Amino acid sequence: MAGVKLLGLWYSPFSHRVEWALKIKGVEYEFIEEDLQNKSSLLLQSNPVHKKIPVLFHNGKPIAESMVILEYIDEAFEGPSILPKDPYDRAIARFWAKFLEDKVPAVGKSFFLKGEEQEKGKEEAYEMLKILDNEVKDKKFFTGDKIGLADIAANFVGLWLGVFEEASGLVLVTREKFPNFCAWRDEYINCNQNKKYLPPRDELVAHFKARFQAAAAAAAAAAAAAPK
Amino acid sequence: MAGVKLLGLWYSPFSHRVEWALKIKGVEYEFIEEDLQNKSSLLLQSNPVHKKIPVLFHNGKPIAESMVILEYIDEAFEGPSILPKDPYDRAIARFWAKFLEDKVPAVGKSFFLKGEEQEKGKEEAYEMLKILDNEVKDKKFFTGDKIGLADIAANFVGLWLGVFEEASGLVLVTREKFPNFCAWRDEYINCNQNKKYLPPRDELVAHFKARFQAAAAAAAAAAAAAPK
């Protein structure tokens, strides 16, 4: 398997982080859509520990974990750099990338939950948003005027979170509560540096609307089948 | 605040990762012991997001998160490198460092829990150990013959896990179940490359024995005070 291939899911923010980095670098790649309902032997063999996308293949060798892949892409390919040059700025970018990486899964999952579990997820989301709202005050991007590692890691809060809100009807972000975050998000979605890399919002909304409806129907069926 | 200072806890594996990296690089540093019962203003100001140790200060500028600090130390200081040179080897080291970073807190916490919650923690620990047992088969260290990022990240499973077992009486690791892991751990603790950097085991055992006893006493007192 020569060249560069990416095993991913078109609607996944984790997968999209990698595509974004490859596009910044100008790397040609083949995208292979994974089927989570019937995981491919390629996925199971190339990421046996987590069995999760994305997996990047470069000259046949697999690399898993989106943030690990971003660092690899920055080091292995020529082109505009994804991390800043200065070690301290790099540390700050990595700190925020890790913060987002750690917080995003629980926040994303909370949209699929109900009742008490969802309330817990919402609390976590508010806590994350409060911290981000404070951090992005008067900032164009996380580390400087150029999209970098932390901004790519922030794609869930930049685009997917709003998609999840629209598709589910559950609204977490308001301009009153998180004014700086909203200003940053507007810039993030609309600036020319990002616009060309973000996936089509309407297609994401349609996809997740169907997912949320299916999850709600499954939960209702399980409740109806439960012993009374 | 000139030079290099580390805000940490002598018994913390996260804090110790940073000390280890500084020692590999031959960097002189001042260690400042934090008081978790009464967090210092230095900690609250330098790591307002997480309010956790370790925090490294270099020329007065703070960096938080042990794995972020390790990358910084490798980039900011001369001396033996902590990450391999080759981008693919670096990705593998980062993959395992992230795996350990993600799994260790839940495993460590499970020693402080009881009943069903502890059983859940034990399951997670067994799953982690099974993966590690498979990975370290016939390997001296995680990436090659030299201590690196992943090995430093593995300090909890290399030393602290055994300390927790001895101090708590709860044994998770047996040679029958995890023979490769045990062989790796013997080498990890006893090889000359590591020996000089690891903290004294007997002091750690005494510290955590007292902690586990205090946690058990607090749980017993809470149970006795609960309405019958």
Side-chain angles (χ1 to χ4, degrees):
Chain A
M1 193 197 282
V4 178
K5 305 197 182 199
L6 174 61
L7 187 58
L9 289 165
W10 72 269
Y11 57 79
S12 156
F14 305 102
S15 187
H16 204 267
R17 284 176 183 165
V18 179
E19 290 203 79
W20 197 340
L22 289 170
K23 283 171 182 165
I24 287 176
K25 289 285 186 183
V27 176
E28 297 276 329
Y29 64 96
E30 180 191 336
F31 186 81
I32 309 167
E33 183 81 8
E34 177 58 37
D35 177 5
L36 285 192
Q37 304 308 314
N38 183 20
K39 290 185 179 180
S40 66
S41 58
L42 186 60
L43 178 63
L44 300 178
Q45 282 164 21
S46 59
N47 189 5
V49 171
H50 301 298
K51 304 175 184 69
K52 283 184 183 167
I53 59 99
V55 182
L56 183 79
F57 298 87
H58 186 201
N59 297 324
K61 291 197 282 185
I63 305 157
E65 292 279 355
S66 65
M67 299 316 298
V68 173
I69 300 172
L70 293 191
E71 296 256 8
Y72 176 80
I73 289 172
D74 206 27
E75 291 173 351
F77 298 102
E78 301 290 320
S81 56
I82 290 164
L83 277 148
K85 286 269 170 285
D86 176 73
Y88 189 77
D89 293 341
R90 292 165 74 87
I92 299 305
R94 287 185 178 122
F95 175 88
W96 285 109
K98 180 166 168 36
F99 174 83
L100 289 155
E101 173 79 352
D102 290 347
K103 300 290 176 193
V104 155
V107 173
K109 210 184 279 174
S110 73
F111 281 86
F112 289 92
L113 303 172
K114 289 281 164 227
E116 204 180 311
E117 278 182 309
Q118 190 175 62
E119 288 307 311
K120 225 180 115 187
K122 276 165 70 177
E123 283 309 310
E124 281 184 56
Y126 287 138
E127 204 181 306
M128 176 190 77
L129 287 163
K130 210 175 120 188
I131 289 168
L132 291 177
D133 191 65
N134 183 53
E135 180 57 24
V136 297
K137 197 176 166 185
D138 306 324
K139 272 176 134 181
K140 189 169 176 193
F141 294 117
F142 274 92
T143 43
D145 280 347
K146 222 183 65 161
I147 288 287
L149 187 82
D151 303 289
I152 298 175
N155 67 350
F156 179 82
V157 294
L159 176 63
W160 271 259
L161 183 57
V163 166
F164 276 33
E165 290 183 318
E166 191 179 333
S168 70
L170 170 68
V171 175
L172 298 175
V173 180
T174 61
R175 281 191 195 273
E176 290 67 39
K177 259 190 188 154
F178 307 111
N180 305 316
F181 174 78
C182 287
W184 168 85
R185 184 161 78 168
D186 291 344
E187 175 76 18
Y188 189 84
I189 292 175
N190 295 315
C191 80
N192 287 333
Q193 268 183 296
N194 281 9
K195 230 176 173 170
K196 57 184 171 186
Y197 298 134
L198 293 172
R201 186 190 169 92
D202 53 346
E203 289 177 28
L204 284 178
V205 170
H207 171 83
F208 283 104
K209 206 169 215 168
R211 290 269 298 273
F212 290 131
Q213 282 169 354
K228 297 262 153 48
Chain B
M1 194 197 284
V4 178
K5 303 196 184 201
L6 173 62
L7 188 58
L9 288 165
W10 73 269
Y11 57 79
S12 158
F14 305 102
S15 186
H16 204 265
R17 285 177 182 164
V18 179
E19 288 202 80
W20 197 339
L22 290 169
K23 283 171 184 166
I24 287 176
K25 290 284 189 185
V27 176
E28 297 276 328
Y29 63 97
E30 180 191 336
F31 186 82
I32 308 167
E33 183 83 8
E34 178 57 37
D35 176 4
L36 285 192
Q37 304 310 313
N38 183 22
K39 290 185 180 181
S40 66
S41 57
L42 186 61
L43 177 63
L44 301 177
Q45 282 164 22
S46 59
N47 188 6
V49 171
H50 300 298
K51 303 175 185 70
K52 282 182 182 169
I53 59 97
V55 181
L56 183 79
F57 298 86
H58 185 199
N59 296 325
K61 291 197 282 186
I63 305 157
E65 292 280 356
S66 65
M67 299 315 298
V68 173
I69 299 173
L70 292 192
E71 296 256 8
Y72 176 79
I73 289 172
D74 206 26
E75 291 174 352
F77 298 102
E78 302 288 322
S81 56
I82 290 164
L83 277 147
K85 286 269 169 285
D86 176 74
Y88 189 77
D89 294 341
R90 291 165 75 86
I92 299 305
R94 287 185 177 122
F95 175 88
W96 286 109
K98 180 165 166 40
F99 174 83
L100 289 154
E101 173 78 352
D102 290 348
K103 301 290 177 193
V104 155
V107 173
K109 211 186 275 174
S110 73
F111 281 87
F112 288 92
L113 303 172
K114 289 284 164 224
E116 205 180 310
E117 280 183 306
Q118 190 174 62
E119 288 306 312
K120 225 180 114 189
K122 276 165 69 177
E123 283 310 311
E124 281 183 57
Y126 286 138
E127 205 181 305
M128 176 189 78
L129 287 163
K130 209 175 121 187
I131 290 168
L132 291 177
D133 190 65
N134 184 53
E135 179 59 24
V136 297
K137 197 178 166 184
D138 306 323
K139 272 177 134 182
K140 189 169 177 193
F141 294 118
F142 275 92
T143 43
D145 280 346
K146 222 184 66 163
I147 288 288
L149 187 81
D151 303 287
I152 297 175
N155 67 351
F156 179 82
V157 294
L159 177 64
W160 270 259
L161 182 57
V163 165
F164 275 34
E165 291 184 316
E166 191 179 334
S168 70
L170 170 68
V171 175
L172 299 176
V173 181
T174 61
R175 282 193 193 268
E176 291 67 39
K177 260 191 188 153
F178 308 110
N180 305 317
F181 174 78
C182 286
W184 168 84
R185 185 161 77 169
D186 291 345
E187 174 77 19
Y188 189 85
I189 292 174
N190 294 315
C191 81
N192 287 332
Q193 269 183 295
N194 280 11
K195 231 175 174 172
K196 57 185 170 186
Y197 298 133
L198 293 172
R201 187 189 170 92
D202 53 346
E203 289 177 27
L204 285 177
V205 169
H207 171 83
F208 285 104
K209 206 169 214 168
R211 290 270 297 274
F212 291 131
Q213 283 169 352
K228 297 266 151 46

